[in-house]
């Protein structure tokens, strides 16, 4: 028996040197400690040993079992450590390697222009008002002094919903925000808002799209005059276009304002001399505006003997087209990345 133990010990000492990975380690563990392993067999043989030798041999068998178990455990730790070190070495980050170029997005030209409008009006003490794009006939027309059948509806009578929602449409003008803002303002006091947003009409050509962006402004107070409207719109046009831009007011008609005006600016391309863009007139029409009609004030609960107001509305797309030299409005909504990435530089020009 003694002899057998020594043979196993020597064999193990040779075997352990052949361990190179977890697989060889496990094979050797099975060879010695498995069900039919050499050491397990030694233990089984103990029952046939005469009693007086049992103690002494038992100690020897135990010793060799501990030697095998501990050595294998130690070998396992070595292997694990080695694997970890290899992994760390292979995953080392080399901070000196040049990075891949990150492609940054850029703001959509309409977002740019909208932010410019908002910045300007916020600086003048206005708040931004956001209205829904699906509007009732009342808010879109009736409460703006356009009852059913009014001739001025024709140009805007467009995308109505169906069935039980037939009284609703995709708003055709942001002027609807006036009604909402006045009605929500329960103390019926002063108001100063701008409402930028999408509107929908049945237009479709190089300068008109079925969906476009307007911005509406409304100021209500006790002492508001046409002079305030003129001053505000002059500042607005000069800031958004260029300082040297001249502004002209022409009498016009809108059902919700009285008096009403249309506002032209000197052509940004020829400076007013006359060119194909301004059809040789030197002027380009950019805004509708006027003093809020007393009916409109009254319909939304304002006392028109105490309060006056002015309002204006304009297409933001037109300003974007002027400012960025866009010739076809449809490209603004086409989502072509080659078009959309051209505008970063333009703001600084
Ligand atoms: N809502 C008008 C349109 O879409 C523009 C407009 C004209 C707005 C006069 C106004 C205004 O507030 O006073 O054509």
């Amino acid at each position: 028996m003694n002899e057998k133990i020594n043979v196993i010990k020597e064999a193990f000492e040779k075997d352990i040197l052949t361990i190179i990975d977890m697989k060889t380690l496990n094979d050797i563990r099975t060879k010695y400690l498995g069900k039919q392993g050499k050491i397990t067999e030694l233990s089984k043989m103990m029952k046939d040993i005469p009693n007086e030798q049992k103690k002494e041999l038992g100690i020897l068998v135990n010793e060799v079992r501990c030697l095998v178990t501990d050595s294998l455990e130690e070998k396992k730790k070595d292997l694990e450590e080695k694997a970890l070190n290899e992994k760390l070495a292979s995953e080392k980050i080399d901070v000196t390697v040049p990075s891949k170029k990150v492609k940054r997005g850029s703001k959509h030209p309409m977002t740019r222009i909208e932010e410019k409008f908002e910045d300007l009006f916020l600086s003048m003490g206005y708040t931004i008002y956001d209205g829904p794009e699906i509007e009732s006939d009342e808010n879109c027309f009736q409460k703006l002094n356009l009852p059913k059948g009014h001739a001025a509806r024709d140009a805007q009578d467009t995308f109505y919903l169906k069935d039980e929602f037939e009284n609703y449409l995709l708003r055709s003008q942001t002027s609807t925000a006036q009604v909402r803002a006045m009605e929500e303002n329960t103390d019926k006091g002063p108001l100063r808002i701008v409402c930028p947003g999408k509107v929908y009409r049945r237009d479709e050509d190089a300068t008109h799209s079925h969906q476009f962006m307007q911005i509406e402004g409304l100021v209500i107070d006790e002492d508001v005059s046409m002079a305030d409207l003129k001053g505000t719109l002059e500042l607005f046009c000069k800031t958004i276009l260029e300082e040297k831009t001249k502004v002209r007011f022409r009498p016009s008609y809108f059902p919700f304002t009285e008096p009403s005006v249309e506002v032209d600016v000197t052509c940004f391309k020829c400076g007013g001399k006359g060119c194909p863009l301004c059809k040789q007139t030197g002027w380009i029409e950019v805004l509708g505006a006027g003093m809020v009609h007393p009916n409109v004030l009254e319909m939304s609960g304002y006392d028109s003997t105490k309060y006056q107001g002015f309002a204006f509305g304009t297409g933001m797309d037109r300003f974007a087209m002027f400012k960025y030299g866009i010739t076809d409005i449809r490209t603004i909504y086409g989502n072509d990345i080659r078009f959309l990435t051209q505008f970063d530089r333009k703001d600084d020009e």
Side-chain angles (χ1 to χ4, degrees):
M1 183 82 175
N2 239 332
E3 183 64 10
K4 218 171 166 83
I5 295 176
N6 278 337
V7 171
I8 291 178
K9 216 166 139 186
E10 273 167 28
F12 177 73
E13 271 157 8
K14 277 189 197 142
D15 278 348
I16 198 162
L17 299 176
T18 66
I19 294 179
I20 45 162
D21 55 15
M22 282 300 180
K23 181 171 180 321
T24 42
L25 181 125
N26 284 333
D27 289 347
I28 287 176
R29 190 198 304 276
T30 319
K31 181 170 171 188
Y32 288 88
L33 300 171
K35 260 190 201 157
Q36 271 131 38
K38 289 176 188 277
I39 293 186
T40 322
E41 240 137 53
L42 274 184
S43 303
K44 283 182 198 155
M45 284 159 70
M46 285 299 289
K47 64 179 186 309
D48 305 325
I49 300 285
N51 270 351
E52 55 289 4
Q53 289 180 25
K54 250 188 189 149
K55 190 174 174 207
E56 194 191 335
L57 281 175
I59 292 174
L60 289 177
V61 170
N62 231 4
E63 262 176 22
V64 75
R65 180 197 303 280
C66 286
L67 170 83
V68 170
T69 318
D70 292 352
S71 309
L72 288 177
E73 198 48 39
E74 208 168 296
K75 196 84 195 171
K76 188 176 165 211
K77 274 199 196 126
D78 286 353
L79 284 174
E80 280 170 354
E81 199 178 297
K82 200 171 141 225
L84 181 69
N85 284 340
E86 276 168 10
K87 192 160 183 250
L88 286 176
S90 71
E91 285 176 5
K92 202 162 76 184
I93 294 169
D94 183 353
V95 290
T96 62
V97 173
S99 65
K100 284 197 191 118
K101 205 171 172 205
V102 178
K103 229 180 168 192
R104 283 175 52 192
S106 59
K107 281 185 188 164
H108 191 284
M110 288 314 297
T111 307
R112 287 172 186 277
I113 205 88
E114 185 177 341
E115 285 175 355
K116 280 191 192 306
F117 280 63
E118 289 179 356
D119 285 350
L120 172 65
F121 284 106
L122 285 171
S123 77
M124 293 199 276
Y126 288 65
T127 48
I128 313 282
Y129 184 91
D130 201 13
E133 287 171 31
I134 295 179
E135 244 324 345
S136 64
D137 188 280
E138 283 87 359
N139 287 350
C140 199
F141 298 126
Q142 294 172 42
K143 287 186 170 164
L144 287 169
N145 218 17
L146 276 131
K148 287 205 160 147
H150 194 291
R153 277 188 179 216
D154 273 6
Q156 299 191 22
D157 228 2
T158 49
F159 300 116
Y160 278 87
L161 275 63
K162 276 170 122 174
D163 305 326
E164 70 261 45
F165 300 111
E166 64 181 16
N167 192 39
Y168 286 83
L169 72 159
L170 295 181
R171 70 177 172 197
S172 56
Q173 50 184 350
T174 42
S175 302
T176 57
Q178 291 186 24
V179 177
R180 286 183 170 268
M182 283 191 285
E183 299 206 332
E184 281 168 19
N185 190 19
T186 44
D187 64 9
K188 305 298 167 196
L191 259 183
R192 203 182 293 184
I193 57 142
V194 280
C195 172
K198 294 192 192 84
V199 297
Y200 303 85
R201 294 185 197 175
R202 58 168 177 240
D203 296 325
E204 186 84 34
D205 62 34
T207 53
H208 296 89
S209 154
H210 65 278
Q211 175 203 298
F212 59 105
M213 301 275 290
Q214 282 192 330
I215 187 164
E216 181 79 16
L218 173 71
V219 172
I220 296 180
D221 215 323
E222 287 188 36
D223 195 15
V224 174
S225 75
M226 195 80 182
D228 299 312
L229 171 64
K230 275 191 87 173
T232 305
L233 294 184
E234 259 189 49
L235 179 70
F236 162 71
C237 292
K238 284 172 184 283
T239 312
I240 300 289
L241 297 170
E242 343 171 62
E243 183 55 37
K244 62 175 196 275
T245 306
K246 288 203 188 77
V247 180
R248 177 173 87 172
F249 290 74
R250 275 184 293 114
S252 185
Y253 169 76
F254 296 103
F256 31 90
T257 41
E258 183 60 42
S260 304
V261 288
E262 255 163 293
V263 183
D264 303 333
V265 291
T266 37
C267 177
F268 54 89
K269 196 149 197 198
C270 64
K273 287 190 210 84
C275 71
L277 187 77
C278 58
K279 301 189 183 92
Q280 308 304 334
T281 63
W283 296 95
I284 291 180
E285 182 198 318
V286 285
L287 280 138
M291 300 305 292
V292 180
H293 197 296
N295 288 355
V296 173
L297 290 170
E298 294 287 341
M299 275 190 278
S300 290
Y302 270 82
D303 179 355
S304 66
T305 59
K306 190 169 168 202
Y307 287 102
Q308 309 88 52
F310 68 75
F312 53 88
T314 186
M316 290 199 282
D317 313 66
R318 299 205 77 193
F319 279 88
M321 289 171 83
F322 297 159
K323 204 164 172 65
Y324 302 133
I326 300 168
T327 48
D328 190 332
I329 192 171
R330 289 167 293 199
T331 52
I332 294 180
Y333 299 105
N335 257 353
D336 186 334
I337 215 90
R338 290 166 303 181
F339 168 81
L340 294 173
T341 47
Q342 290 174 32
F343 300 96
D344 290 29
R345 303 161 272 121
K346 292 243 173 185
D347 285 343
D348 310 319
E349 281 170 7

